[in-house]
Amino acid sequence: MVGGLLCCLSMMLASFCTSVIQLYLTVGFIGGLGLAFNLQPALTIIGKYFYRKRPMANGLAMAGSPVFLSTLAPFNQFLSNTFGWKGSFLILGAIFLHACVAGALMRPLEPKRATSKSKNKIGVNEDSGLKKTHQKKSTCEQINKYLDFSLFKHRGFLIYLSGNVIMFLGFFAPVIFLAPYAKDRGIDEYSAAFLLSVMAFVDMFARPLGGVIANSKLVRPRIQYFLSFSVMFTGVCHLLCPLAQTYSSLVVYAIFFGYGFGSVSSVLFETLMDLVGAPKFSSAVGLTTIVECGPVLLGPPLAGKLVDITGEYQYMYLASGAIVIASSIWLLIGNFINYRLLDKERKMEQERKKKATTFESGETEPLSKSKQDEVSVKISKTQSIASERETNI
C-alpha cells in the first residue's frame, strides 16, 4: 500500500516537472522505490499462501505484467494526444493508486495457536520470557532478520545469483531494440511497435503455461533445470533473430521470444524460493534485486554502444544471445552439481539417522555387570560424536 502511494506521488510530481533531472528524481527514484515496495511483498505472500500449487500461482501472478504491457503503448499514446503529457502523468498516478487496494486484499496469515481449556500462569511467564529475549537481540541480528547475509554462503543461492547476473546483461536489450531493429529493416513505425504487442500477448499466455508445466510431478523436483532450458531457448531465439529479414519473420521471432521470455519470468522467483525456502525468500529477493541492478542497468547501454560501433543491430542480437546461452550453460552445470551434492548429503544424513537408531536400540538391551565400565566409555564417545555432528550441521 505504501508502494502504491509512492508511485502515485511520483506521477503527480512528474506532471509539474520542467527538466529531465526532475523526472529522474520523481519517476526514477520515487517511482522506482514504490515499485520495489510493490514487488517484494507480492512475491513473498505467494509463498505463504501456496505451497502445493505455488509454481502455478507464481505464473498466474506474473501474467499480470504482460496483460497491461500489451495495451500500455497505445493507451499511453491516447492519453498523451487527448490530455497532454501532464494529464497523462496524473491519470497514470490515479491508476497506480489501485495498488493500495491490492495491498489491502493481501491479508497476513495468522499463526495457528494451540488452544488449551485451562489457562494457567505458566504460559504467561513463557510469553514474557520470549518478549525479554526478543528485546535483547542485537542490532546485527535485527538487520540479519530482514537481509540475511548468510545466504551468500548458500551454494544454490550463489549459483542462481551468478547465473542471473550473466543472463541480465543480455536479457532486456533485445526487447528495447526490437522496434528500432524493425525500423532499420524498412518497416513503418506502427507495425514495428506492434511487434512488442505481439510479444507481450504471447508472454501473457506463456507465464501461466510455464507455471502449469513447472507444477507437474516430473518438473517440480528438478525445477532448476526448467529455468536453465528456458533461458537457453530465449538465447537461441536471439541468435536466430538476424535471419529475420521480413516483417512476417520478425512476427515469428516475437512469438518465440515472447514464449521464452514468459517461461523464464514464470519460474524466475519460484526457483529462488525452491532453493532458499519460504522463510528466507524475502531476504533472498532483496539481495538478488540489489545485485542484479548492475547488469540490468549496464546491459542496454552496452548494447546501444555496440550498435553505434558496428552500425548493425544483428551483432547486438548475436552478442545478447551468446550471453544468455552462456548463463543457461552455467546454470545447467551448476544446478547439476548442486543436485548431486544434495543427494549425497541426503544419503549421508539417512545413514547417520540409521546409526543413531541402531545405537538407541542397542542401548536398551540388558548388559552384564562386568561390562558396565566399557559401556560407559562407549556412551561418552557416541555422545561426543553426536555433539560434533550437530555442530557440523
Side-chain angles (χ1 to χ4, degrees):
M1 295 172 72
V2 174
L5 292 175
L6 286 174
C7 291
C8 177
L9 180 63
S10 67
M11 295 292 109
M12 291 176 62
L13 294 177
S15 64
F16 298 99
C17 291
T18 57
S19 64
V20 179
I21 297 177
Q22 294 175 356
L23 287 175
Y24 286 157
L25 295 176
T26 55
V27 179
F29 182 75
I30 301 176
L33 188 63
L35 291 176
F37 280 18
N38 286 339
L39 176 65
Q40 188 165 346
L43 293 173
T44 305
I45 206 165
I46 293 174
K48 293 184 178 181
Y49 279 178
F50 301 93
Y51 176 74
R52 187 176 300 174
K53 297 182 179 181
R54 192 177 62 203
M56 192 185 304
N58 273 312
L60 289 172
M62 297 296 289
S65 177
V67 169
F68 196 73
L69 181 63
S70 60
T71 58
L72 180 62
F75 178 69
N76 196 18
Q77 189 66 37
F78 169 76
L79 291 179
S80 180
N81 294 333
T82 307
F83 303 100
W85 66 272
K86 292 186 177 183
S88 62
F89 270 128
L90 292 174
I91 294 174
L92 289 175
I95 294 174
F96 271 123
L97 277 178
H98 289 78
C100 300
V101 181
L105 295 173
M106 295 178 182
R107 305 303 298 273
L109 296 177
E110 296 182 357
K112 296 180 180 180
R113 298 179 180 178
T115 57
S116 58
K117 294 182 179 179
S118 61
K119 295 182 180 179
N120 49 10
K121 296 181 179 180
I122 298 174
V124 177
N125 293 330
E126 288 178 353
D127 292 337
S128 61
L130 288 172
K131 289 180 180 179
K132 290 180 180 179
T133 54
H134 284 302
Q135 290 176 357
K136 292 180 181 179
K137 284 185 178 180
S138 62
T139 54
C140 295
E141 291 177 348
Q142 291 178 357
I143 294 173
N144 197 38
K145 179 182 177 182
Y146 299 102
L147 285 177
D148 192 359
F149 292 101
S150 64
L151 288 169
F152 287 106
K153 298 180 181 179
H154 193 284
R155 183 175 60 239
F157 177 75
L158 291 176
I159 294 170
Y160 174 89
L161 183 62
S162 57
N164 280 8
V165 168
I166 301 172
M167 178 185 69
F168 281 124
L169 280 172
F171 195 68
F172 292 107
V175 183
I176 297 172
F177 290 97
L178 181 58
Y181 175 65
K183 294 177 185 177
D184 186 66
R185 294 297 175 187
I187 299 169
D188 61 284
E189 295 181 356
Y190 291 100
S191 299
F194 184 71
L195 291 173
L196 292 174
S197 299
V198 171
M199 176 200 157
F201 184 77
V202 177
D203 186 11
M204 178 173 60
F205 294 98
R207 297 193 187 199
L209 181 61
V212 172
I213 296 173
N215 200 44
S216 61
K217 294 181 180 180
L218 296 176
V219 179
R220 180 109 186 241
R222 293 291 187 267
I223 196 173
Q224 307 296 331
Y225 291 151
F226 182 77
L227 175 63
S228 303
F229 286 115
S230 299
V231 174
M232 186 178 294
F233 178 82
T234 308
V236 171
C237 291
H238 296 333
L239 289 179
L240 297 177
C241 180
L243 299 177
Q245 300 294 329
T246 61
Y247 183 72
S248 58
S249 58
L250 283 174
V251 171
V252 173
Y253 164 74
I255 292 172
F256 281 98
F257 178 38
Y259 179 77
F261 192 91
S263 299
V264 174
S265 301
S266 64
V267 295
L268 187 63
F269 294 104
E270 171 60 27
T271 51
L272 180 59
M273 189 178 294
D274 179 73
L275 288 171
V276 302
K280 293 186 177 182
F281 179 71
S282 180
S283 297
V285 170
L287 294 173
T288 302
T289 50
I290 290 172
V291 176
E292 289 174 353
C293 281
V296 170
L297 291 174
L298 289 175
L302 290 177
K305 186 66 176 178
L306 182 61
V307 173
D308 292 337
I309 293 173
T310 60
E312 295 287 340
Y313 286 92
Q314 57 184 1
Y315 297 108
M316 184 273 299
Y317 277 94
L318 291 174
S320 299
I323 291 171
V324 173
I325 289 179
S327 67
S328 68
I329 295 173
W330 171 262
L331 288 172
L332 193 63
I333 296 173
N335 290 322
F336 176 76
I337 296 173
N338 187 35
Y339 277 131
R340 291 289 298 272
L341 293 176
L342 287 175
D343 291 336
K344 288 183 180 179
E345 291 169 0
R346 195 178 295 110
K347 290 179 181 178
M348 291 174 63
E349 187 64 25
Q350 290 176 356
E351 291 178 358
R352 288 172 181 172
K353 288 181 180 180
K354 287 181 181 179
K355 290 180 181 179
T357 53
T358 53
F359 170 74
E360 290 176 357
S361 61
E363 192 179 27
T364 57
E365 294 178 356
L367 301 173
S368 59
K369 294 182 179 179
S370 61
K371 294 183 179 180
Q372 285 180 354
D373 296 333
E374 185 179 355
V375 170
S376 64
V377 173
K378 288 182 179 180
I379 290 172
S380 62
K381 289 181 180 179
T382 53
Q383 286 176 352
S384 63
I385 293 171
S387 61
E388 290 177 1
R389 185 170 71 250
E390 290 176 358
T391 54
N392 289 332
I393 293 173

